Amino acid sequence: KYGNWFDSARNRYVPVKIYYPHKTSSHCPIILFSHGLGGSYERCKYLGTKWAASGFVSLHINHAGCDDSVWKNNIRPMKELREIYPYFVSGRIHANDVRFVIDQLELLAKNDPVWEQMLDMSRIGAAGYDLGGLGTLLLAGQLPLDRGEYLYDSRVKAIIVMSPPVNSSPYAASAIYETVQTPVLFFTGTEDNGIIGTTKAPQRRIPFDHLINADRFLVTYNGADHLVYGGHILPINNRNEKLLQNNIAEVSLIFWKAYLAGDPKMYQYLRKNAIGNLIGHAGTIERKLVPVLVPMTSAEMDKNSSAAIE
């Protein structure tokens, strides 16, 4: 389904494409997806269909002014994209579009019986590619690169980030990324160099390396470039792109089941060494986990107290 919602506070329309399960007997977790520079809500269909078929409601947002209408039918599309990039490079517009969509869903869940039956507003995830990935990190608590308003949204419980632009300063990275509060799954590739932006492939892992407050995973695909996630615009006859997209869909679904749907089996699977099998020869997967605090038994507490006294 499609929607076109108006944000009166920002005088801005926010179009959405909604993927939802054909049949469901319970409230569904929600995923909000943001495209990158020059994309649209029609991109990454392979994710929307995969997630919806597995019991999630996935809303793909069209970020006006940053979408494919900027370059389509233009003689010099790259010039058009370079001109608008500085306006969107902070990720702030993407993040505020997502926050507005969450507000709309809350209203629908309260006032519309169909939406109320479908949506689980306590389980909201966000995902994004390129500038959409940066906007998603802002929602999870990353400090804004433009030093503006902090955009952390506690309603977002887990995020997936594909090839985001990053702050590469080693002095600023820790302060910028250590404030992220939610579990994160990152995707990148060994050839993931920016086309309009300046981020190079080795720098894509910087947020993963500097997060400290949440479980985080990093998938790096061999030979994958910046366009593989959303799909190359021009035909490249690259069968490998479809294979990688299928893998992205599979890995992302396991992450959503573990950290958004609360599936204990998927959660434990991601915390074990067998997760390497998810990627196979296509690349690598790394993880950094926050220790799980296990409550002590009364006997352990008595033992520790005795040791402290001695």
Side-chain angles (χ1 to χ4, degrees):
K1 288 185 177 181
Y2 291 87
N4 192 19
W5 299 333
F6 183 67
D7 183 353
S8 59
R10 296 185 297 152
N11 193 32
R12 174 179 174 83
Y13 280 98
V14 182
V16 294
K17 182 179 183 181
I18 307 166
Y19 299 85
Y20 58 94
H22 180 61
K23 292 183 180 180
T24 179
S25 57
S26 61
H27 291 79
C28 302
I30 303 160
I31 303 166
L32 306 168
F33 184 84
S34 292
H35 64 75
L37 179 69
S40 78
Y41 58 13
E42 298 292 356
R43 306 299 288 275
C44 296
K45 180 180 179 180
Y46 68 98
L47 294 176
T49 53
K50 181 72 173 183
W51 297 339
S54 301
F56 297 83
V57 174
S58 183
L59 291 93
H60 291 218
I61 300 169
N62 208 87
H63 300 284
C66 183
D67 60 354
D68 57 7
S69 66
V70 173
W71 61 266
K72 278 187 174 181
N73 302 318
N74 281 308
I75 298 175
R76 292 180 290 181
M78 294 300 289
K79 176 179 179 293
E80 301 292 338
L81 291 173
R82 289 191 181 97
E83 286 180 352
I84 68 167
Y85 184 75
Y87 183 64
F88 288 90
V89 70
S90 70
R92 183 172 296 280
I93 292 176
H94 284 70
N96 280 323
D97 281 350
V98 175
R99 288 161 64 98
F100 166 71
V101 169
I102 297 176
D103 292 342
Q104 290 299 107
L105 293 178
E106 288 181 337
L107 292 174
L108 289 169
K110 292 178 181 179
N111 301 314
D112 188 309
V114 175
W115 286 94
E116 190 281 329
Q117 185 177 4
M118 182 184 300
L119 301 178
D120 185 343
M121 296 303 299
S122 68
R123 294 186 291 178
I124 298 175
Y129 160 49
D130 186 57
L131 291 178
L134 174 56
T136 300
L137 278 167
L138 292 175
L139 294 169
Q142 175 189 317
L143 292 184
L145 302 183
D146 63 3
R147 300 183 180 183
E149 179 191 2
Y150 186 53
L151 295 175
Y152 170 66
D153 195 319
S154 62
R155 296 174 295 182
V156 176
K157 307 302 182 184
I159 65 170
I160 291 178
V161 178
M162 303 175 183
S163 186
V166 303
N167 185 305
S168 58
S169 167
Y171 305 103
S174 293
I176 289 171
Y177 299 113
E178 69 182 11
T179 52
V180 173
Q181 303 294 316
T182 65
V184 190
L185 169 61
F186 293 97
F187 286 100
T188 187
T190 57
E191 305 300 321
D192 192 358
N193 299 306
I195 297 173
I196 303 296
T198 60
T199 303
K200 301 301 182 182
Q203 297 171 330
R204 302 287 184 192
R205 65 173 296 122
I206 289 175
F208 169 81
D209 289 331
H210 288 87
L211 264 67
I212 60 174
N213 293 317
D215 291 350
R216 57 273 195 204
F217 304 84
L218 172 65
V219 174
T220 305
Y221 290 112
N222 298 326
D225 63 15
H226 186 62
L227 296 178
V228 71
Y229 319 97
H232 290 77
I233 298 170
L234 298 177
I236 60 171
N237 297 319
N238 186 357
R239 181 171 176 268
N240 192 50
E241 178 176 279
K242 292 298 182 185
L243 293 176
L244 290 181
Q245 288 180 352
N246 288 338
N247 192 258
I248 291 169
E250 290 290 343
V251 176
S252 65
L253 181 59
I254 291 175
F255 178 81
W256 289 136
K257 287 182 176 180
Y259 286 95
L260 196 57
D263 185 329
K265 291 183 179 179
M266 293 296 98
Y267 177 77
Q268 290 300 326
Y269 176 69
L270 287 177
R271 299 182 71 88
K272 295 180 179 178
N273 293 332
I275 61 171
N277 299 330
L278 288 171
I279 310 302
H281 298 296
T284 60
I285 182 168
E286 303 171 59
R287 65 181 178 183
K288 293 184 178 181
L289 305 176
V290 175
V292 177
L293 297 178
V294 180
M296 289 189 295
T297 64
S298 57
E300 290 172 328
M301 294 177 66
D302 292 341
K303 182 179 179 180
N304 286 352
S305 297
S306 299
I309 293 172
E310 293 173 1

